[in-house]
Amino acid sequence: MKIESNTYLKLFANCKPVKGAKRATICDLQREIYFLIPNSCYDFLQDNVHVPLAENLNRLSATDSKTAISYIDYIIENELGFLTKDPHLYPDIEFADLSPHLLNDMIIEFSPVINTHRDYLLEDITICGIQFLEIRIRLSDLKLFQEFLAALGNTRVRSIDIVCEYDNSLSISEIPNYVDNFSIIKSFILHSVPTETLGIYIQEKDSRQLFTGERLSNESCGQIGRQYFTSNLRFFINSLGSNNCLNKKVSIDKNGNYRNCPSLPNIYGNIHTTSLLDVIKNKEYVLYGSVRKDDVETCKDCEYRYICSDCRAHVTNIYDKPFYCNYNPYTNEYS
């Protein structure tokens, strides 16, 4: 490859390199994928941000120059970057919080208690700007939830995931098809379905309404693994400046208690007596949402840290590596 003078290697603005203890990643936040690269490639990319390629290549030995050329080829072939003589024409993305709202996410363990205080809760949801809801509910409370669902049309909520626990109050055939009947509902999962009941129901392929025999509980929270990586702009920015699981998130348990999430024991008041605005000012509540991957032992040295979810529930110390993570960034191996 012939490199002309005054030519720079520029990564696309949506492609962000992240260095780990032993290797690095390039996270493509538009295609929502990532690429593994050696740390030497990461260093080469950083060295060439403000210096023309030819100038840097001339400083290298023949062997190192050949390696550097292979890095350039890799970047261009995988559409991660390009060559330009005018790098100033391609500014980087400003990594600031994309959300102007006080809160983004809420988990509600729906119950008759919650529905009793529906009007107050919906007012708080609107004031705080919550856009994403996860509803955890028992099958027997679905009819009561219909009233709550109808009232959500007057809020800023734009997406709802429903996680429903099976009981004998309704047969599967009686369950409304929420994802088809309500555009705001992103998914509906019915869990803990008995094998004999599950066996008579044929699910459509790729359906967003899923019935499963698996039991989902608060202990299901905090799973870590490559299958859970999220390489998009919102998640990446959240990981840089805060906790990507708990920042601007709040949950309400079935008794009306406010928590960071259902898996955490800390309680910051009750829907009977405490407004959501007071909850999000609580110093301990804020602390959990502010723990970054760069603050967490081991995670701070991981090449996946900005695309990997960060549970603070299953830890001994708030700055410990998540219990369910079995990856070692110092050896690049899973235990």
Side-chain angles (χ1 to χ4, degrees), residues 10-291:
K10 180 76 176 178
L11 290 179
F12 289 115
N14 56 281
C15 296
K16 295 300 175 184
V18 181
K19 190 174 185 179
K22 200 170 182 181
R23 64 183 178 186
T25 55
I26 297 179
C27 302
D28 187 326
L29 308 179
Q30 180 172 325
R31 291 182 288 176
E32 300 191 4
I33 54 179
Y34 65 91
F35 297 80
L36 290 167
I37 59 172
N39 273 344
S40 55
C41 180
Y42 174 94
D43 293 337
F44 175 75
L45 292 171
Q46 298 305 111
D47 290 343
N48 285 278
V49 171
H50 302 296
V51 180
L53 277 173
E55 185 177 327
N56 260 337
L57 291 172
N58 287 336
R59 298 172 182 169
L60 302 176
S61 67
T63 300
D64 288 344
S65 181
K66 185 177 180 180
T67 300
I69 294 294
S70 73
Y71 294 157
I72 298 169
D73 289 338
Y74 181 84
I75 295 299
I76 294 174
E77 288 171 6
N78 286 285
E79 299 181 322
L80 298 169
F82 57 99
L83 299 178
T84 178
K85 291 188 176 182
D86 300 297
H88 62 282
L89 297 179
Y90 308 96
D92 291 331
I93 295 174
E94 290 291 333
F95 278 151
D97 188 350
L98 294 177
S99 172
H101 305 301
L102 296 174
L103 290 169
N104 292 325
D105 302 87
M106 174 180 276
I107 300 173
I108 301 174
E109 293 182 344
F110 189 82
S111 68
V113 171
I114 299 298
N115 197 54
T116 299
H117 294 81
R118 181 181 66 208
D119 292 341
Y120 296 107
L121 178 57
L122 291 173
E123 182 179 355
D124 276 352
I125 286 175
T126 302
I127 292 171
C128 292
I130 293 169
Q131 295 181 298
F132 307 100
L133 282 184
E134 178 181 315
I135 304 295
R136 300 182 181 183
I137 189 171
R138 288 185 59 82
L139 193 58
S140 54
D141 288 326
L142 271 183
K143 289 184 179 179
L144 188 62
F145 175 66
Q146 299 267 17
E147 303 171 13
F148 188 88
L149 180 60
L152 283 170
N154 298 319
T155 69
R156 297 177 184 177
V157 174
R158 66 186 196 192
S159 177
I160 302 173
D161 292 296
I162 299 176
V163 180
C164 182
E165 182 180 358
Y166 179 83
D167 56 35
N168 292 319
S169 60
L170 289 175
S171 67
I172 286 183
S173 60
E174 294 177 294
I175 299 173
N177 190 327
Y178 282 98
V179 295
D180 287 343
N181 296 336
F182 301 92
S183 60
I184 197 174
I185 295 180
K186 178 182 173 184
S187 67
F188 178 95
I189 298 175
L190 180 67
H191 67 90
S192 306
V193 182
T195 303
E196 61 273 17
T197 302
L198 194 62
I200 63 174
Y201 179 77
I202 300 175
Q203 299 191 78
E204 296 179 14
K205 187 177 180 181
D206 300 325
S207 173
R208 291 180 292 129
Q209 184 148 306
L210 173 67
F211 299 159
T212 176
E214 180 183 357
R215 174 166 176 73
L216 303 180
S217 68
N218 291 343
E219 293 305 311
S220 306
C221 170
Q223 300 300 316
I224 305 291
R226 282 174 290 191
Q227 67 270 38
Y228 303 112
F229 288 169
T230 305
S231 183
N232 64 38
L233 184 61
R234 180 175 181 252
F235 194 90
F236 194 93
I237 290 177
N238 210 5
S239 299
L240 284 175
S242 58
N243 186 275
N244 59 39
C245 180
L246 299 175
N247 181 47
K248 294 191 175 184
K249 175 189 281 185
V250 69
S251 77
I252 307 178
D253 68 23
K254 62 184 179 182
N255 297 314
N257 296 315
Y258 287 110
R259 305 171 186 265
N260 292 95
C261 90
S263 299
L264 282 165
N266 314 58
I267 294 174
Y268 306 109
N270 189 278
I271 194 172
H272 292 276
T273 56
T274 310
S275 78
L276 200 47
L277 289 174
D278 288 334
V279 171
I280 62 177
K281 294 174 185 176
N282 184 289
K283 290 183 179 179
E284 189 173 23
Y285 167 84
V286 172
L287 173 62
Y288 275 89
S290 65
V291 177

